[in-house]
């Protein structure tokens, strides 16, 4: 991103073979070559050469409709780095076209310290009223309400959520050899504002597995939403703050949001310095830490008689290449049955602010996934990213599918609680 061509070089390897087309949710939704990776790569190459202006309506239209899910990367035999090219192209477009007002407003409300804490407080109050669940539906307001309702903790005794007498149970003991390994937790903005119960579950489940999770003051939003919107300078400023806040230690930095983890693992490229590279090398998804270096998997929990559809977040599976570790987590819960869902690895249509900015395409992509989920009849759809949890949760509610979206560590947390591993 800081190199001479800003990421466009990642597109050089494309040989137009078209293997990526069937992996692209937007191409599958429209059948239009310009909504495919191959078509977009041609547009982006034209942009870099100067043959296509950054203001060209067709260029902007088709790149705006790209989810940035990177589902096209693992299937590409030539190793095209589509995501790097897309960020470079979006950065060029943003330089000549203002970021849409709605995106600016959302970024300001969700990621600005001071502002976001008030916004999240109101959101939590609204969520606690129960209204969002009642108003969930397909319209703009209904979908937004469904997204908010989907952030609620699963602690209602349904679908494997085990009730606890204590609000903040703590692990009775680590079940791994002492001394504990220290890990620093990244809290993020949306995760901290609406999914703090997932942070609690992360801390507890890691403690059972021999980690002591430490807080890091001074950390800020990871910058992923900004980078995806083409606001590279803002993303860099946030990255620099985080690199300084987490310091130069060796401890792993644990992240439970796939979108945040994907960008944080790229801070070295984003900032182009050695300190940021060292930071990036420490970043681990929570499922990577729980699975362990030897992939032995987490300590087993109590049985949960649950049918679970795992929906791997694009930014975990495609961007970070973390595929096996979440399966190790599910394997540590006896009786839990993973329900196969065709096309589970395809994007849900959330893609950061995409669900707000491109609602038509976002819902088209989501509805294809929902139909497959309806047939699979899981009780829980597990996914490790806040945007996916909200998008899929809202979709399940709007489509009248009786399943809940939950983070994988919430399920492990339930299994540990049921096994008496917390007091
Ligand atoms: S991106 Fe890869 S898979 Fe797609 S057309 Fe180019 S070379 Fe083929
Ligand atoms: S990033 Fe996703 S939506 Fe965009 S071209 Fe690749 S597969 Fe299609």
């Amino acid at each position: 991103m800081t190199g001479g061509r800003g990421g466009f070089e990642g597109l050089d390897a494309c040989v137009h073979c078209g293997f990526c087309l069937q992996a692209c949710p937007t191409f599958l939704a429209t059948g239009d070559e310009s909504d495919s990776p191959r078509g977009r790569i041609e547009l982006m190459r034209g942009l870099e050469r100067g043959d296509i202006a950054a203001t060209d309506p067709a260029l902007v239209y088709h790149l705006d409709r790209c989810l940035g899910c990177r589902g096209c990367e693992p299937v590409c035999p030539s190793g095209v780095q589509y995501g790097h090219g897309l960020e470079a192209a979006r950065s060029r477009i943003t330089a000549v076209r203002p970021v849409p007002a709605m995106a600016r407003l959302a970024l300001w409300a969700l990621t600005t310290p001071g502002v976001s804490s008030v916004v999240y407080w109101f959101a939590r109050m609204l969520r606690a009223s129960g209204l969002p669940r009642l108003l969930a539906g397909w319209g703009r307001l209904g979908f937004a309400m469904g997204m908010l309702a989907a952030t609620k903790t699963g602690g209602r005794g349904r679908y494997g959520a085990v009730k606890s007498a204590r609000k903040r149970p703590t692990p009775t003991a680590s079940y791994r050899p002492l001394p504990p390994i220290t890990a620093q937790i990244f809290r993020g903005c949306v995760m901290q504002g609406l999914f703090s119960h997932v942070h609690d579950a992360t801390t507890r489940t890691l403690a059972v597995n021999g980690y002591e999770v430490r807080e890091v003051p001074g950390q800020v939003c990871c910058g992923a939403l900004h980078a995806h919107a083409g606001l590279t300078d803002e993303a860099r400023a946030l990255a620099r703050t985080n690199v300084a806040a987490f310091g130069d230690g060796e401890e792993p930095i644990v992240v439970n949001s796939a979108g945040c983890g994907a960008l944080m693992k790229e801070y070295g490229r984003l900032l182009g310095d050695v300190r940021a590279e060292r930071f990036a090398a420490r970043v681990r998804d929570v499922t990577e830490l729980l699975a362990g270096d030897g992939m032995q998997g987490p300590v087993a929990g109590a049985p949960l008689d649950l049918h679970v559809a795992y929906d791997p977040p694009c930014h975990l599976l495609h961007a970070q290449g973390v595929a096996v570790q979440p399966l190790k987590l599910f394997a540590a819960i006896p009786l839990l049955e993973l329900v196969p869902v065709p096309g589970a690895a395809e994007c849900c249509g959330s893609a950061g602010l995409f669900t707000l900015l491109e609602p038509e395409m976002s819902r088209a992509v989501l509805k294809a996934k929902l139909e497959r989920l309806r047939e699979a009849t899981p009780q829980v759809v597990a996914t490790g990213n806040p945007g996916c949890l909200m998008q899929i949760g809202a979709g399940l509610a709007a489509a009248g599918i009786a399943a809940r979206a939950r983070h994988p560590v919430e399920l492990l947390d339930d299994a540990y609680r049921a096994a008496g591993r917390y007091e």
Side-chain angles (χ1 to χ4, degrees), residues 13-20 38 41 75-78 80:
C14 180
V15 293
H16 314 289
C17 65
F19 284 169
C20 54
R38 184 170 62 182
I41 286 169
V75 296
C76 172
S78 303
V80 165

Side-chain angles (χ1 to χ4, degrees), residues 126-410:
L126 181 57
R127 182 178 69 185
S129 75
L131 269 180
R133 199 155 57 88
L134 296 175
L135 297 174
W138 281 121
R140 266 207 182 247
L141 177 67
F143 200 78
M145 290 294 111
M147 289 176 78
L148 181 56
T151 67
K152 195 167 171 6
T153 175
R156 296 185 303 161
R158 293 185 69 203
Y159 303 140
V162 179
K163 286 179 178 171
S164 167
R166 289 187 49 171
K167 197 163 182 240
R168 287 283 167 96
T170 50
T172 47
S174 165
Y175 290 78
R176 294 268 187 236
L178 295 172
I181 306 162
T182 303
Q184 297 177 324
I185 189 166
F186 178 73
R187 291 201 160 262
C189 46
V190 180
M191 284 305 292
Q192 178 63 13
L194 297 174
F195 290 96
S196 61
H197 51 282
V198 175
H199 285 327
D200 293 342
T202 297
T203 302
R204 285 191 294 265
T205 53
L206 282 173
V208 170
N209 285 277
Y211 286 90
E212 184 187 343
V213 175
R214 295 223 175 119
E215 299 295 333
V216 175
Q219 58 175 296
V220 292
C221 163
C222 68
L225 293 175
H226 305 74
H228 298 164
L231 297 167
T232 312
D233 288 344
E234 282 89 335
R236 283 197 188 108
L238 292 164
R240 272 189 210 99
T241 305
N242 281 327
V243 170
F246 280 84
D248 296 315
E250 302 279 316
E251 305 93 342
I253 298 167
V254 60
V255 186
N256 50 26
S257 155
C260 304
L263 185 73
M264 291 165 71
K265 284 182 177 179
E266 299 222 335
Y267 272 7
R269 188 176 62 86
L270 182 67
L271 296 182
D273 67 53
V274 175
R275 198 179 182 205
E277 266 167 31
R278 281 204 299 264
F279 172 99
R282 294 164 55 199
V283 176
R284 297 280 184 284
D285 185 73
V286 58
T287 58
E288 290 183 276
L289 283 192
L290 287 168
D293 291 339
M295 288 284 186
Q296 71 274 25
V299 168
L304 295 181
D305 189 3
L306 269 187
H307 287 184
V308 175
Y310 176 50
D311 197 84
C314 299
H315 283 91
L316 192 62
L317 182 64
H318 307 315
Q320 299 186 51
V322 175
V324 177
Q325 293 88 336
L327 304 181
K328 295 282 178 185
L329 182 156
F330 299 124
I333 306 175
L335 279 187
L336 183 151
E337 190 180 323
L338 280 182
V339 183
V341 182
E346 282 171 23
C347 184
C348 64
S350 167
L353 299 178
F354 192 90
T355 190
L356 282 179
L357 302 175
E358 298 286 339
E360 200 181 319
M361 178 66 88
S362 173
R363 303 300 177 267
V365 169
L366 174 63
K367 282 177 181 173
K369 185 178 285 288
L370 289 173
E371 283 320 304
R372 297 189 291 257
L373 283 170
R374 189 192 295 282
E375 283 182 22
T377 63
Q379 293 160 294
V380 169
V381 182
T383 187
N385 188 58
C388 310
L389 283 163
M390 294 167 82
Q391 172 92 348
I392 294 173
L396 292 170
I401 299 173
R404 286 208 57 200
R406 301 189 72 203
H407 194 292
V409 294
E410 288 187 89

